[in-house]
Amino acid sequence: MTHSFQWTAGYPSQRLPVFGRNVVATSHPLAAQAGLRMMQKGGNAVDAAIAGAAVMTIVEPVSNGLGSDAFCILWDGSRLHGLNASGRAPQAWTPEYFKRKYGDNALTPPKRGWDSVTVPGAVAGWTALSERFGRLPFADLLEPAIDIAERGYAVSVVVQQKWSAAAKELSGGPGFADAFLPHGRAPNVGELFRFQAAARTLRLLAETKGEAYYRGEIAEAAVRHAQEQGAVMTTQDFARYEPEWVTPLAKPYRNHTLHEIPPSGQGIAAQIALGILQNFDLGSMPVDGPESQHLQIEAMKLAFADVYRYVAEPASMTVSADAMLDDAYLAKRARLIDLQRAQDFGAGNPVKGGTIYLTAADERGMMVSFIQSNYMGFGSGVVVPGYGLSMQNRGHGFSLDPASPNVVAPGKRPFHTIVPAFLTKDGAPVMSFGVMGANMQPQGHVQTLVRMLDHHQNPQAACDAPRWRVNEGLSINVESAMNHRTLQGLIDRGHRVEVINDSYQDFGAGQFIWRLGDPSIEGYVAASDPRRDGQAAVF
């Protein structure tokens, strides 16, 4: 029986950084603890990250599921690796397919339903990471998620809020109500939620090392459901899917280097913005003052102008990532910023050429930056009956404009918002981190790094601090905790400011692990964002 507590916070609170030699930071305590269990069994940070990611599909289903995409950057003890486990379009997807089905005026694939679903990559990402870097058997990594799915868990505060908010729109989605609306509604805070169908799928993944997902029973069930709904996904689309190992992009900032997954993701936006900010002395400005915040906002707008114009699958881009990150080009872009006036920037001409984030680090020195997502809340709203596959809606990120580099095509990956990040200095690891939340992600990378590298705030303070979010044109959102002088300073510069009280909705949430020295001796300091239900767990 759930006690009749008031679940709103009531008072402002402050989290403190935590310290340990083995760390898992996630947006849900059960996932963080699952990761620690793997390390206590002799596993490493990769094992911990996979176990945590599997649990997150059960305990935060609004943001991710067994039909998610994923990305990872990891330090293996000697160098960085990147993994792109984002989905590809079915072979039948073309602009003509969508125009015939949704009309000539359609600009993108639909937001919901099977025609928004690309082949999900997260499970393939888990198995690829496990095979290459894991220490424990893959089946062991799924044990906590299976147990939680079968026995159930008490729904947490922030997750329940967003679950309830999404329920009305998605209640008619194929399979959605049966999976996520027990008793005909979203669960209440503290109410037990069991997900037996997902437990069945997790057991199949454990038994087959993920093979059933792409070339077996699970793929067949997903395709059967898709075709019953009039979609064109095939078993061949699933069978040909493979994640891709990639080299992370690197961009220096303040004697450190920020690493991001290369396009078609938006991580490069954070690197562009920091490359622009490198031309200003932010450290001499008050950390929370309007001068510094205005510069960061303008740099972010310049970055997004180029990213939205040029970023797509690398083979479709007309401008290279290297050209977009060129120092001379970014210095030229920096000169467009007016210190006293907000502007609506267009793209430049660099002619030279609903998400969860978690991070884990172990005492052997391995550090993992991992992110997976269903995109919008509950993704496509499609849940494969009997298997608990809540499918992403990444296909909505394609364009139907033949002139766009992001135009839909068979087997192509769409523009992607989810971006893990990693920080190094002189070739050595410093921090594994990320900030989940649509286009807030690179904005969160920029704001927290400026606080840590320019103003020397600790990771938890940088995580707790009030944030802004760039929208379109001169429009920005700011958290209600931003001080009045800064807020007025931004308004005076011409920013069209809306103050938002719901931090979950607009300002993302981060997890941070900063290496203090030899991980077997000094260990790490970790932070978890108060905008979610999570924690940084250590031993």
Side-chain angles (χ1 to χ4, degrees), residues 271-495:
Q271 295 171 311
I272 293 171
L274 290 172
I276 291 169
L277 292 172
Q278 188 86 344
N279 295 277
F280 300 92
D281 184 11
L282 292 179
S284 68
M285 303 174 186
V287 60
D288 289 307
E291 301 83 3
S292 175
Q293 302 305 312
H294 169 73
L295 275 174
Q296 293 173 63
I297 291 167
E298 296 298 279
M300 200 71 246
K301 291 194 301 192
L302 283 162
F304 276 141
D306 280 358
V307 165
Y308 293 151
R309 170 63 181 84
Y310 297 116
V311 168
E313 270 271 80
S316 300
M317 288 175 61
T318 58
V319 172
S320 71
D322 287 344
M324 296 174 74
L325 294 174
D326 179 72
D327 286 338
Y329 171 68
L330 296 181
K332 181 179 178 181
R333 296 289 275 170
R335 290 193 289 273
L336 296 176
I337 295 177
D338 185 328
L339 300 181
Q340 301 301 324
R341 182 172 64 90
Q343 299 179 73
D344 183 2
F345 300 102
N349 184 26
V351 292
K352 187 176 178 180
T355 301
I356 68 94
Y357 174 83
L358 62 86
T359 177
D362 63 41
E363 60 188 280
R364 302 177 191 91
M366 180 175 280
M367 302 177 71
V368 180
S369 181
F370 185 90
I371 196 163
Q372 68 186 18
S373 172
N374 269 8
Y375 193 21
M376 300 173 181
F378 285 109
S380 62
V382 171
V383 186
V384 178
Y387 292 84
L389 265 65
S390 174
M391 308 298 278
Q392 40 84 327
N393 61 333
R394 285 293 170 183
H396 182 60
F398 280 120
S399 171
L400 300 183
D401 179 358
S404 169
N406 195 40
V407 64
V408 68
K412 187 175 179 178
R413 291 179 296 208
F415 177 84
H416 234 283
T417 58
I418 62 173
V419 286
F422 205 96
L423 192 71
T424 62
K425 184 176 183 180
D426 300 327
V430 173
M431 181 171 63
S432 173
F433 75 106
V435 179
M436 65 193 91
N439 77 341
M440 185 62 208
Q441 294 179 57
Q443 303 189 56
H445 294 185
V446 169
Q447 292 175 66
T448 54
L449 282 178
V450 166
R451 289 181 177 280
M452 285 183 266
L453 300 184
D454 287 280
H455 300 288
H456 309 291
Q457 290 188 336
N458 75 68
Q460 188 64 60
C463 196
D464 292 347
R467 295 180 186 146
W468 44 263
R469 172 175 172 153
V470 168
N471 296 315
E472 292 182 335
L474 303 181
S475 168
I476 64 170
N477 297 341
V478 302
E479 287 189 286
S480 57
M482 182 172 286
N483 72 59
H484 178 75
R485 176 180 172 271
T486 300
L487 180 62
Q488 189 59 51
L490 294 175
I491 293 171
D492 291 344
R493 285 168 171 80
H495 296 281

Side-chain angles (χ1 to χ4, degrees), residues 113-407:
W114 267 108
D115 278 337
S116 68
V117 181
T118 58
V119 179
V123 169
W126 298 353
T127 58
L129 287 166
S130 176
E131 289 172 2
R132 186 168 180 182
F133 295 105
R135 294 168 63 94
L136 297 176
F138 183 70
D140 288 9
L141 311 182
L142 304 187
E143 287 176 355
I146 293 169
D147 181 63
I148 292 167
E150 289 182 336
R151 295 179 61 192
Y153 64 94
V155 174
S156 55
V157 176
V158 176
V159 169
Q160 193 280 334
Q161 292 170 358
K162 303 310 161 186
W163 198 326
S164 180
K168 184 176 181 180
E169 177 186 355
L170 298 177
S171 60
F176 183 85
D178 287 343
F180 293 122
L181 302 180
H183 318 298
R185 56 168 174 78
N188 295 320
V189 173
E191 187 174 1
L192 189 74
F193 177 74
R194 292 188 178 95
F195 204 176
Q196 299 287 356
R200 173 188 181 185
T201 293
L202 287 163
R203 287 193 180 279
L204 285 169
L205 298 179
E207 293 166 4
T208 66
K209 295 184 179 179
E211 187 70 10
Y213 195 100
Y214 295 96
R215 286 164 285 276
E217 176 182 338
I218 300 170
E220 292 166 2
V223 168
R224 185 167 55 250
H225 189 242
Q227 294 180 353
E228 287 171 355
Q229 299 295 320
V232 291
M233 187 81 75
T234 68
T235 54
Q236 290 77 21
D237 291 323
F238 271 82
R240 65 168 50 96
Y241 181 79
E242 296 287 346
E244 180 184 4
W245 293 100
V246 297
T247 300
L249 295 176
K251 184 62 181 174
Y253 183 73
R254 308 298 191 225
N255 299 316
H256 292 72
T257 301
L258 172 62
H259 303 268
E260 300 273 0
I261 294 288
S264 60
Q266 65 172 339
I268 193 174
Q271 295 171 311
I272 293 171
L274 290 172
I276 291 169
L277 292 172
Q278 188 86 344
N279 295 277
F280 300 92
D281 184 11
L282 292 179
S284 68
M285 303 174 186
V287 60
D288 289 307
E291 301 83 3
S292 175
Q293 302 305 312
H294 169 73
L295 275 174
Q296 293 173 63
I297 291 167
E298 296 298 279
M300 200 71 246
K301 291 194 301 192
L302 283 162
F304 276 141
D306 280 358
V307 165
Y308 293 151
R309 170 63 181 84
Y310 297 116
V311 168
E313 270 271 80
S316 300
M317 288 175 61
T318 58
V319 172
S320 71
D322 287 344
M324 296 174 74
L325 294 174
D326 179 72
D327 286 338
Y329 171 68
L330 296 181
K332 181 179 178 181
R333 296 289 275 170
R335 290 193 289 273
L336 296 176
I337 295 177
D338 185 328
L339 300 181
Q340 301 301 324
R341 182 172 64 90
Q343 299 179 73
D344 183 2
F345 300 102
N349 184 26
V351 292
K352 187 176 178 180
T355 301
I356 68 94
Y357 174 83
L358 62 86
T359 177
D362 63 41
E363 60 188 280
R364 302 177 191 91
M366 180 175 280
M367 302 177 71
V368 180
S369 181
F370 185 90
I371 196 163
Q372 68 186 18
S373 172
N374 269 8
Y375 193 21
M376 300 173 181
F378 285 109
S380 62
V382 171
V383 186
V384 178
Y387 292 84
L389 265 65
S390 174
M391 308 298 278
Q392 40 84 327
N393 61 333
R394 285 293 170 183
H396 182 60
F398 280 120
S399 171
L400 300 183
D401 179 358
S404 169
N406 195 40
V407 64

Side-chain angles (χ1 to χ4, degrees), residues 487-509:
L487 180 62
Q488 189 59 51
L490 294 175
I491 293 171
D492 291 344
R493 285 168 171 80
H495 296 281
R496 296 173 184 166
V497 178
E498 181 181 4
V499 179
I500 303 291
N501 289 313
D502 184 353
S503 293
Y504 179 106
Q505 185 67 28
D506 283 87
F507 302 101

